[in-house]
Amino acid sequence: MPLDQAELVAAAKGGDREAFDELVRQTYADAYTLAYRLTRNEEDARDVVQEAYLRAYRGLGRFRADARFSTWMYRIVANCASTALSRRSRSRHDDLPDDAPVADDRPEADPEMMAEATILRDRVDEALAHLPARLRAVVVLRDVYDLPHEAIAAELGISEAAAKVRLHRARRRLREQLFPMRGEEAARAG
Amino acid sequence: MPAESNLTMTCEAVAELLPEVVDGAIPAPTAVTRHVETCLRCQAELVQYRKVLRALHQLRTEVLEPAPGLFTDILTSLEGAGERRAIRSLLRQRRAAYVGAIAGATAAAGAAGIIVLASRARHRKLRLAG
Ligand SMILES: [Zn+2]
């Protein structure tokens, strides 16, 4: 069992740099994973993670002791990734609008055969890559990382209502991609 | 479509709400629950949403391995920030003295400016007089 994160946070708050380094060591792969899931780009994810730890280090005084350090880091990573993505879409103009059709490159497969959990997990990851960044961010933060709507809205700079609408659209798009058969046809086939 | 004809909600209306109610965060309206209980099509669709949600939850357990060097890069950027912070606080200490010096210099420059204007006026006056 590594040193308790709450103890490390307390030490880091007291100015112990080594304690903060240890917190980084324990959490950076996890933070990178989230950054990559949001940006879908290794280089961007690395930049986002570095920026996030800098902000965390500077803002450590504002971290509440009753919160989990990992959850706090997820919020900072989400915020940094959101900034990075909007910068990127401004410079490249390549972000798809919410309802733009995506290229259908699903392999031909029987959805009933694909229902097996691990296969579905890989396919959902692939389907996430096809979502527009703004929909992907909300569904990743809510359904993968379990952040509350209020936190997601705050870090992405949108209203809670907008966050809910995006979540709704993202879930529908994922279902359509993973299960190309409509419910009715699937019911008949099953 | 027998399920649609004798129930208050259509499959389309129910399908529209399924992505919202699938996680149980908000309770499904009774009309939706009643429809789903008797409609195979909507039941199948709800099962699909549940599978998507489960797969998303499972992603959480997967941690990607960053390319080597990221940990060192993070520590290096923190190191830089630490140094900048030290420099900033040093600058803040110096600024107090510096601001005092500037105030003195400005007053001196202002005085010099007044002197220049005064001498020009004098020259003009002199020329006018001459
Ligand atoms: Zn139905």
Side-chain angles (χ1 to χ4, degrees):
Chain A
M1 172 81 183
L3 251 175
D4 181 41
Q5 286 188 0
E7 288 172 32
L8 288 171
V9 170
K13 272 186 165 186
D16 184 345
R17 245 309 291 279
E18 277 176 27
F20 192 79
D21 290 356
E22 175 59 18
L23 273 174
V24 175
R25 199 189 59 73
Q26 287 185 16
T27 57
Y28 82 100
D30 201 21
Y32 171 81
T33 303
L34 172 59
Y36 182 79
R37 290 207 166 113
L38 295 173
T39 60
R40 287 278 154 180
N41 177 292
E42 276 184 44
E43 211 174 306
D44 287 349
R46 288 176 75 94
D47 290 348
V48 161
V49 167
Q50 284 191 46
E51 169 71 19
Y53 279 106
L54 263 181
R55 280 207 222 166
Y57 184 58
R58 288 176 184 145
L60 206 55
R62 289 191 298 275
F63 175 68
R64 297 195 337 270
D66 59 332
R68 281 177 59 91
F69 182 75
S70 55
T71 309
W72 189 58
M73 274 314 297
Y74 291 153
R75 290 189 63 156
I76 300 175
V77 167
N79 189 281
C80 292
S82 170
T83 310
L85 284 168
S86 62
R87 204 164 35 222
R88 195 170 70 182
S89 76
R90 259 203 305 281
S91 63
R92 294 189 203 161
H93 302 285
D94 63 353
D95 207 11
L96 296 167
D98 284 3
D99 289 317
V102 290
D104 187 353
D105 55 2
R106 286 185 297 259
E108 280 304 315
D110 178 358
E112 294 304 310
M113 296 289 285
M114 283 293 171
E116 217 169 337
T118 44
I119 300 169
L120 197 60
R121 189 193 58 198
D122 291 345
R123 290 197 60 212
V124 85
D125 195 32
E126 197 187 300
L128 279 172
H130 286 104
L131 283 184
R134 52 215 303 265
L135 295 189
R136 185 170 61 235
V138 176
V139 76
V140 163
L141 294 170
R142 180 75 203 104
D143 289 340
V144 183
Y145 288 86
D146 217 22
L147 291 190
H149 280 295
E150 163 266 323
I152 295 168
E155 302 312 334
L156 301 184
I158 56 176
S159 68
E160 267 188 69
K164 282 177 186 168
V165 169
R166 288 186 194 182
L167 178 68
H168 184 114
R169 286 188 186 157
R171 283 176 178 169
R172 193 171 57 211
R173 293 268 294 260
L174 290 177
R175 185 194 61 78
E176 285 165 1
Q177 282 214 38
L178 293 170
F179 300 98
M181 266 205 277
R182 293 292 314 261
E184 186 183 23
E185 298 160 44
R188 236 181 260 146
Chain B
M1 221 164 289
E4 279 188 54
S5 56
N6 52 6
L7 287 167
T8 45
M9 282 188 92
T10 63
C11 289
E12 281 66 34
V14 170
E16 198 44 50
L17 292 169
L18 288 180
E20 250 169 76
V21 301
V22 63
D23 59 3
I26 53 161
T30 323
V32 173
T33 321
R34 229 183 288 146
H35 176 105
V36 172
E37 272 167 7
T38 55
C39 174
L40 281 182
R41 174 184 171 179
C42 290
Q43 270 172 30
E45 204 156 306
L46 184 62
V47 168
Q48 292 175 343
Y49 275 114
R50 287 200 180 126
K51 284 179 179 168
V52 169
L53 224 57
R54 234 191 334 264
L56 285 166
H57 277 301
Q58 278 193 327
L59 280 183
R60 176 71 176 272
T61 59
E62 270 186 357
V63 175
L64 305 175
E65 201 185 316
L70 179 59
F71 180 56
T72 323
D73 286 352
I74 296 168
L75 295 195
T76 308
S77 73
L78 288 171
E79 210 68 63
E83 276 162 27
R84 274 200 297 279
R85 182 139 72 178
I87 290 168
R88 260 202 307 276
S89 74
L90 201 69
L91 283 176
R92 256 198 301 278
Q93 284 163 18
R94 284 194 186 155
R95 200 176 297 145
Y98 187 61
V99 166
I102 284 179
T106 312
I114 290 160
I115 292 162
V116 170
L117 285 174
S119 67
R120 268 187 195 162
R122 228 181 359 252
H123 278 296
R124 226 174 278 139
K125 262 181 207 158
L126 283 172
R127 249 183 263 128
L128 283 170

